[in-house]
Amino acid sequence: MTSTMNVKIPAERIAAPSPWRAFGRMVATLWSNGKARLGLCILAFFVLVAVFAPVLAPYGPKENGFDRNADASWAHWLGTTAAGEDVLSQLIYGAQISLLVGFAAGILSTIVAVLIGLSWGYMRGFAGEVVGFIVNLFLVIPGLPLMIVIAAYLQNGGILMIIAVIVVTGWAWGARVLRSQTQSLRGNDFVTSAQFSGDSRTRIVFREILPNMTSIIAGTLFGAATAAILAEAGLEFLGLGDSSIVSWGTMLYWAQNSNSLLTGQWLLLFAPGLCIALLALSLTLINFGVDGISNPRLREGKGR
């Protein structure tokens, strides 16, 4: 006679990991990577400068009651512009606009890329081909000339115009990367199980597939923010932005207009150019840590 033993299954389920614990692990992984650690320190420095600009700047960004084209001195560490403005004060206040445009455009570009990339990777048939044609069209058109044309047509639109131009021209590459990852996850068992349980397509895409691409989305965000910072500086330097604001790009624009190199005031070009390069470098270095989250073989130190 065969006896059957009944196993009592506990009613409570195993608690899922806390989102704060997952975030803490992600930060620890980033910090364990030497390059990402350096990038986080540089980024934190610029964020603090932007937040405390009114305290750190010795003068107002548009205060022009000083001598024009003055050399560096104790009163003006980086000299003054052709309009009699303090260069150091403009450099400090310029961090606000560059960070605002960079992260705002980067976040919006990433959101568009996530929505289109995940939907495109999951759908099949004619609708997928139409989305693929649109994405490939944006990938084929050169980004910088397209930005210049749109910005020239919408000139003097302010910061919002620059952010909109960067978002329109900067989402396609991220969408293609996310589409490829979505297609690789679409055939996994947990997606098939969700389909048989009757879950909708929206829930499968954003509740089952999306959480498995956190590191790729983070990398897309930092890459888009880097491109946005460089694009904002380029558009402002070409005079296609709002020249009345104070940013690192407008500093380059006015320094070029005043022939600062011919007058020997190379700091007017070197200082904002160095800040743009360092900010872009910090985001690029953080991407090394993001790669370590998605690929454990790339992790360094204790994070391995």
Side-chain angles (χ1 to χ4, degrees), residues 100-134:
L100 173 63
V101 173
F103 281 98
I107 291 172
L108 292 176
S109 297
T110 304
I111 292 175
V112 175
V114 168
L115 294 176
I116 296 179
L118 268 67
S119 303
W120 180 26
Y122 189 79
M123 68 177 60
R124 294 183 175 91
F126 180 74
E129 294 180 359
V130 172
V131 175
F133 173 79
I134 297 174

Side-chain angles (χ1 to χ4, degrees), residues 10 14 33 47 54 56 76-77 83 101 122 126 158 211 246 261 268 273 289 301:
I14 299 176
N33 187 293
V47 171
L56 297 175
H76 307 284
W77 289 7
V101 173
Y122 189 79
F126 180 74
V246 177
L261 289 180
L268 296 181

Side-chain angles (χ1 to χ4, degrees), residues 270-284:
F270 178 77
L274 179 62
C275 290
I276 293 171
L278 287 176
L279 183 56
L281 176 65
S282 68
L283 297 177
T284 303

